[in-house]
Amino acid sequence: MKRLSNPQLLTLLVTILAVSTCANASDTGSDARRTLDYEGRETGEKFMPGGESLVFSRAIKENIKYRVKTHMITGIVVGVVTPRGTSYFSCGVRSLDTREPVDKNTVFEIGSNTKTFTGVLLADEVVNGGLSLDDPLQKLLPAGISAPTRNGQTINLVHLANHTSALPRMPGSFVRIDPDNPYAAYTVEQAYDFLNRYELPRDIGSKFVYSNFGMGLLGSVLAARHETTYEQLMIRKIADPLGMKSTRLAFTPDMEKQLARGHHFGIEVGNWDFLAIAGAGAIRSTAADMLRYLAGNMGLVESDILPAMELSHENTGAAIGDMTVGLGWLEKPFEGGDIIWHDGGTGGYMSFMGFTRDNRIGVVVLTNSQSFPDDIGFHLLDPELELARPLPSIATEMNRIVESDGADAAIEAYAELKTDHADDYDFGESELNELGYLYLNRGRMAEALAVFKTNVEAFPESWVVHDSYGEALLKDKQTDQAIESYRKSVVLNRENSTGIKILKSHGVDVP
């Protein structure tokens, strides 16, 4: 088989009892089969009379159930659309507290998949609104705000949509005031102030560099052109015409009832809200609605937005590796045919969507966990692409033990598991580092310090883990220990500007 990525493979000895609910239902099945079980059922709806639902393979179902049972994913819904109809497979729960199963109507955050909606909105302005892709950003900015230029070049609208504007991923001045909801406090005024002062580091159009700021800015100026919000523009142009009633930025009462809570290492995390850069990642939706969106993009349903959607798929001249870039969309070549796709992630959600260039099949995968499901989506689009068998994170197991037996027991278990089950978990340095920050951001200082210290002992040559431990120690007012940790971090990485700044602020000579 062709290999899409380099996943770690394992034969996992599952020793933890797991409770998972996997559901597949079918419109050809009886109501008696609606009871949930571990074997799963498929549900399908037909676009065309006499259509047949696509059946998920045993390998796909077993792989998905494995990820849920090993706690890599809390809940997942996979949807498939073809010219013959739609099918769904769901597994897991909306919340580890309520244990309510996920299904096609469960609401998830779709993160950066929002960028494709923004690309379609730009394309609609080109098709129907009198704009050109080559119009300068300056044309849509309010009075007193100036877009940066370089060597006589201007940032054009297409540069925002294909990530070649030379704007950063996020402004250096951006501060995550609330780590659980990092973009909520970032305002349009702050974005415009940054834009006014920013000096571009490279030529416009010269390089693909992913920019949440650029795509979010594009969504904002398009909405402002219509004197409305990004949400209302998206609803009017895309969601309502396609019947996507559960695709919004703000939760409706019905969406709130259907919401899957985000999770990271088994910890429930908050939802992300966006003000200034909504067009980069603010949309919430369901698998049912996202299949309507894909069906619209594939021309399987009649819609006035289809010409704009088709324009958004076209190569804009930008590239990243072997992939070309459309307006928000990416297109990757495979032997079985090109795939147009995107993925997304927020604090507790990961998602994928894509369809084949020949409109033969489209796939959406929505999860309420921090585990990218891209390989599932790509495999469904092209079965020759390998389905991964990822390792569960040691951090999830550590958190489970912390919650049941305390931090000391978890640290002891870590050493035992690393010795006896080194091939059964992902012991990468980022796993415990992320868990440490989850505790730190929730005020659980004792647990955070224990986890960071364990990570430092496991990865003594990593500047990142020393830097993180130093941050926690400083917040705990253990200044001397914090300085020592930052000093080690700077020795390991002389370009650690944050560590250098903190050492200097405490009157410490930089080693």
Side-chain angles (χ1 to χ4, degrees):
M1 280 190 170
K2 291 178 290 184
R3 188 178 294 270
L4 179 62
S5 59
N6 294 310
Q8 295 173 290
L9 303 177
L10 75 156
T11 302
L12 180 65
L13 303 175
V14 181
T15 58
I16 304 167
L17 292 176
V19 178
S20 67
T21 304
C22 296
N24 328 256
S26 177
D27 58 276
T28 59
S30 66
D31 289 341
R33 288 182 55 81
R34 293 185 182 275
T35 53
L36 298 170
D37 57 46
Y38 295 127
E39 295 308 313
R41 296 177 272 108
E42 294 176 23
T43 61
E45 299 170 336
K46 301 181 182 70
F47 280 109
M48 304 169 66
E52 297 178 6
S53 296
L54 182 144
V55 178
F56 292 87
S57 70
R58 179 182 295 273
I60 284 282
K61 294 177 183 178
E62 292 304 318
N63 187 284
I64 291 172
K65 288 189 284 186
Y66 156 78
R67 299 183 197 210
V68 173
K69 289 180 179 179
T70 55
H71 310 291
M72 284 181 276
I73 290 177
T74 304
I76 179 172
V77 184
V78 184
V80 175
V81 59
T82 74
R84 295 187 294 178
T86 63
S87 296
Y88 302 88
F89 182 76
S90 59
C91 193
V93 295
R94 291 193 226 161
S95 166
L96 292 173
D97 292 332
T98 66
R99 312 299 300 178
E100 296 173 289
V102 294
D103 59 31
K104 67 179 183 179
N105 297 313
T106 300
V107 174
F108 297 82
E109 293 185 347
I110 68 168
S112 286
N113 286 302
T114 300
K115 292 178 173 67
T116 69
F117 286 72
T118 304
V120 171
L121 291 175
L122 173 58
D124 182 66
E125 293 297 312
V126 173
V127 173
N128 300 306
L131 286 182
S132 165
L133 293 179
D134 294 324
D135 279 340
L137 166 62
Q138 189 64 50
K139 179 177 179 178
L140 300 186
L141 290 175
I145 306 299
S146 297
T149 61
R150 182 178 169 95
N151 295 333
Q153 287 184 299
T154 62
I155 296 175
N156 296 337
L157 300 179
V158 67
H159 298 132
L160 297 173
N162 68 9
H163 302 281
T164 63
S165 65
L167 292 170
R169 187 180 186 94
M170 281 298 293
S173 59
F174 171 66
V175 178
R176 297 184 176 216
I177 297 174
D178 179 1
D180 243 11
N181 196 359
Y183 296 97
Y186 191 68
T187 65
V188 173
E189 290 75 21
Q190 288 174 302
Y192 283 156
D193 179 65
F194 170 79
L195 196 67
N196 257 341
R197 296 180 290 102
Y198 189 63
E199 184 175 337
L200 299 175
R202 61 187 170 276
D203 288 347
I204 298 165
S206 64
K207 184 180 180 181
F208 176 101
V209 176
Y210 197 80
S211 176
N212 284 323
F213 180 76
M215 189 66 79
L217 181 63
L218 175 60
S220 293
V221 297
L222 292 177
R225 185 170 190 259
H226 289 269
E227 299 182 342
T228 188
T229 64
Y230 178 84
E231 179 179 42
Q232 289 304 313
L233 184 63
M234 183 275 296
I235 292 171
R236 176 156 56 91
K237 296 285 188 175
I238 301 173
D240 277 358
L242 292 175
M244 301 166 63
K245 299 184 182 299
S246 294
T247 300
R248 301 289 188 268
L249 276 64
F251 293 112
T252 66
D254 286 342
M255 288 174 67
E256 187 71 46
K257 292 176 185 177
Q258 296 289 337
L259 177 64
R261 299 294 174 182
H263 295 79
H264 195 180
F265 301 140
I267 299 171
E268 189 169 301
V269 297
N271 293 108
W272 283 11
D273 300 298
F274 296 74
L275 291 178
I277 59 168
I283 293 177
R284 287 85 179 238
S285 190
T286 67
D289 270 12
M290 291 306 293
L291 285 196
R292 293 185 179 96
Y293 179 63
L294 288 181
N297 275 274
M298 297 163 68
L300 300 182
V301 293
E302 293 184 3
S303 171
D304 290 341
I305 200 70
L306 177 59
M309 286 180 157
E310 291 178 332
L311 175 60
S312 74
H313 308 155
E314 296 307 309
N315 183 0
T316 60
I320 174 172
D322 64 349
M323 292 188 293
T324 57
V325 186
L327 303 178
W329 292 97
L330 303 171
E331 183 165 359
K332 187 171 180 63
F334 294 105
E335 290 181 15
D338 290 0
I339 292 174
I340 299 170
W341 70 286
H342 211 288
D343 59 15
T346 55
Y349 303 83
M350 292 290 184
S351 56
F352 169 92
M353 66 174 178
F355 57 98
T356 56
R357 167 61 79 172
D358 61 8
N359 297 325
R360 174 177 45 83
I361 181 173
V363 174
V364 61
V365 188
L366 304 178
T367 80
N368 59 339
S369 303
Q370 276 284 310
S371 178
F372 267 114
D374 294 34
D375 65 292
I376 296 172
F378 277 117
H379 179 77
L380 282 165
L381 292 168
D382 183 351
E384 288 298 310
L385 298 172
E386 188 171 20
L387 195 60
R389 184 81 167 176
L391 289 168
S393 172
I394 188 59
T396 304
E397 179 64 1
M398 288 279 285
N399 177 64
R400 186 189 69 81
I401 299 172
V402 167
E403 296 302 327
S404 62
D405 301 316
D408 290 343
I411 301 309
E412 183 178 345
Y414 177 87
E416 294 175 358
L417 289 169
K418 195 167 186 180
T419 299
D420 299 334
H421 296 280
D423 296 329
D424 297 341
Y425 296 92
D426 182 353
F427 282 93
E429 69 177 75
S430 65
E431 304 305 304
L432 288 194
N433 220 49
E434 290 180 22
L435 179 61
Y437 276 113
L438 282 171
Y439 289 144
L440 187 64
N441 294 334
R442 284 159 178 73
R444 300 179 63 175
M445 183 60 72
E447 291 89 345
L449 288 171
V451 168
F452 283 132
K453 182 180 179 181
T454 300
N455 215 26
V456 165
E457 292 169 351
F459 299 95
E461 300 304 313
S462 168
W463 74 271
V464 173
V465 299
H466 286 288
D467 186 271
S468 299
Y469 190 32
E471 181 179 345
L473 288 166
L474 198 60
K475 285 189 176 181
D476 197 43
K477 303 188 186 309
Q478 298 186 47
T479 307
D480 291 343
Q481 295 94 321
I483 288 173
E484 182 59 26
S485 196
Y486 274 118
R487 189 195 300 271
K488 290 178 181 178
S489 177
V490 170
V491 168
L492 290 166
N493 178 15
R494 301 288 180 178
E495 296 182 359
N496 179 8
S497 58
T498 300
I500 292 171
K501 180 179 179 180
I502 289 173
L503 289 175
K504 287 183 176 180
S505 71
H506 285 83
V508 178
D509 292 334
V510 177

